Amino acid sequence: MRDLAEEFEAERDHLTAVAYRMLGSRAEAEDAVQEAWLRYANALTDPAARAEVRDLRAWLTTAVSRICLDVLRSPRVRREGFPSQWLPEPIVERVPAGPDPADLAARTDQVGMALLVVLEKLTPEQRVAFVLHDVFGVPFENVAEVLGITPVAARQHASRARRAVTDGQPRHTADLAEQRRVLAAFTAATQSGDVNALLSVLAPDVVMIGDGGGVFPAAGRPVSGRDQVATLLKGLSRLADRSMTLVRAAPVLVNGALGMQWEGAYKGRPIRAVMAMTIADGRITAIYNQLSPDKVAAVPPLPSP
């Protein structure tokens, strides 16, 4: 059993990456991977089933994908009736001193917040097909096996998903240096209340989405347009001045792109928020503000000053 466990652990990061992109939740992704381990260990007790495990990564990827497909089809992940807008759980890392820009761009493309938000709008079959084929390069024959359909149908699901992703993702072309400049200008404008400076750093078609988890204030729908987003940000700033105590804030990497993490108290209740952004041509094209306590529970706290 130790050898089996070691073989599985060697694939855990890959499986978690697949499941997170399919589910948008690290907790659910980890649950799916654990279920895949149980299925793997159980299959190896049957000589006939064990003979089918010729390519361990492929077998486990299929298993975890089927588990994720069942989760996506289940009522508990449907977002209807959610108390606010829904955003995925963020993956937050400290900003390294000098990351490789190419590596940063690759990570952002494959797991960026904008991509995960668009994936939420797909059908379960489209999402699984896109993640497996377009992100991880799984052949359509294997995708079809996961979905229980023909390779032609699997290709169609991926094609529809690809069009939706292309049409629905805000532009994000900025390298890390440009992200730093824009984030600094945005922070200065919001802190000073300079409306013109704020408008200058927002793209005309910028969109803002906030997930308060039904606990903290957030708009009930996406807010689009530079003037509308600036008005929302001004309102949130006034609300924060009245009801919130800011303890610390710092730039962080949010799903591979530069964003902000801030911590404090709202009406006496501890609050931690993670703000992700997409940036192109020196302006912010989208803002994703995650305040849901459940979604930021796994985010490491900022170090004390």
Side-chain angles (χ1 to χ4, degrees), residues 53-297:
V53 187
R54 291 180 288 273
D55 181 330
L56 179 59
R57 170 166 288 200
W59 192 95
L60 290 172
T61 300
T62 296
V64 81
S65 298
R66 285 172 172 164
I67 293 165
C68 290
L69 182 62
D70 289 342
V71 173
L72 289 169
R73 286 170 170 169
S74 69
R76 69 189 178 95
V77 299
R78 295 175 187 161
R79 312 305 179 196
E80 295 89 343
F82 191 72
S84 68
Q85 298 175 91
W86 192 95
L87 288 173
E89 290 181 43
I91 296 177
V92 177
E93 304 167 271
R94 302 282 79 84
V95 180
D100 179 358
D103 177 63
L104 185 63
R107 283 190 291 152
T108 303
D109 287 345
Q110 289 198 7
V111 74
M113 189 63 66
L115 172 60
L116 292 175
V117 170
V118 174
L119 292 181
E120 280 296 314
K121 301 175 183 179
L122 305 180
T123 67
E125 294 77 14
Q126 289 171 353
R127 185 165 187 169
V128 169
F130 178 85
V131 169
L132 286 178
H133 182 266
D134 285 46
V135 178
F136 290 97
V138 175
F140 280 119
E141 290 75 11
N142 299 74
V143 177
E145 182 182 353
V146 171
L147 297 177
I149 56 178
T150 66
V152 172
R155 187 183 297 272
Q156 290 173 342
H157 280 307
S159 177
R160 294 188 185 105
R162 197 177 304 119
R163 286 197 297 270
V165 168
T166 301
D167 295 341
Q169 273 199 102
R171 290 165 291 116
H172 183 67
T173 59
D175 60 19
L176 186 58
E178 183 179 355
Q179 291 178 45
R180 289 183 189 274
R181 291 194 298 270
V182 173
L183 181 59
F186 172 81
T187 302
T190 53
Q191 289 178 345
S192 67
D194 187 334
V195 177
N196 290 330
L198 180 58
L199 290 171
S200 71
V201 81
L202 298 175
D205 57 350
V206 63
V207 61
M208 182 169 178
I209 301 176
D211 181 349
V215 178
F216 297 113
R221 58 179 177 80
V223 176
S224 302
R226 178 164 49 202
D227 292 338
Q228 291 79 4
V229 170
T231 299
L232 175 60
L233 288 168
K234 287 188 294 182
L236 291 174
S237 180
R238 287 194 295 267
L239 179 63
D241 288 341
R242 293 195 307 267
S243 306
M244 182 176 156
T245 302
L246 181 64
V247 175
R248 60 182 67 92
V252 291
L253 289 181
V254 186
N255 289 63
L258 199 63
M260 287 292 295
Q261 179 177 334
W262 47 269
E263 298 167 358
Y266 177 77
K267 294 184 177 181
R269 177 171 184 164
I271 182 173
R272 179 183 300 159
V274 174
M275 181 178 285
M277 298 179 180
T278 56
I279 297 170
D281 302 321
R283 293 182 175 180
I284 298 170
T285 57
I287 300 172
Y288 306 100
N289 198 24
Q290 181 57 269
L291 303 99
S292 173
D294 291 340
K295 304 262 187 75
V296 298

